[in-house]
Amino acid sequence: MENIKFLNPLKVNKTIDIVYLMCPMHIVSIKKALKELKEGEILEVLSDFSHALEDIPNWCKMSGHEFLGIIEGDDYLKFYIRKSQVDSFNDLS
């Protein structure tokens, strides 16, 4: 979890609520949402899945997207991802 950065609120281009989703659906939902964004745009992901603290930053690193950090909410975490030009895992659905 050394990749975790706590942020102040930032401007996002899209928000997805994946509260109650677990592996692998949380990553599948993120990948689908990122396909709808342009390079450089920011996705906000709302999740309460405890493993997301490791899964989302690690997936970003493997797929080439930039993990910006998180904001802690009352009932969930907000994860922020900047879409990169190339998705290293573009063969996954």
Side-chain angles (χ1 to χ4, degrees):
M1 289 198 322
E2 69 275 350
N3 297 332
I4 300 299
K5 299 175 226 172
F6 289 90
L7 303 173
N8 292 317
L10 31 113
K11 184 178 181 233
V12 300
N13 301 97
K14 182 175 183 69
T15 299
I16 60 170
D17 182 347
I18 60 170
V19 173
Y20 303 120
L21 288 184
M22 296 187 298
C23 192
M25 293 311 297
H26 65 302
I27 297 297
V28 171
S29 298
I30 292 169
K31 182 161 180 58
K32 181 179 175 184
L34 283 170
K35 285 182 180 181
E36 299 172 8
L37 296 178
K38 298 176 186 171
E39 178 186 355
E41 291 186 327
I42 297 175
L43 175 65
E44 176 182 61
V45 180
L46 312 180
S47 178
D48 63 347
F49 182 48
S50 62
H51 294 298
L53 284 168
E54 292 182 28
D55 292 351
I56 293 175
N58 288 338
W59 179 82
C60 288
K61 185 176 181 180
M62 291 187 308
S63 66
H65 297 292
E66 182 183 358
F67 176 70
L68 299 174
I70 64 172
I71 294 176
E72 191 171 13
D74 292 333
D75 298 324
Y76 52 84
L77 296 171
K78 297 178 183 180
F79 295 83
Y80 295 90
I81 302 167
R82 180 175 286 124
K83 182 175 179 169
S84 70
Q85 180 180 2
V86 178
D87 185 341
S88 300
F89 283 111
N90 59 9
D91 56 325
L92 298 175
S93 31

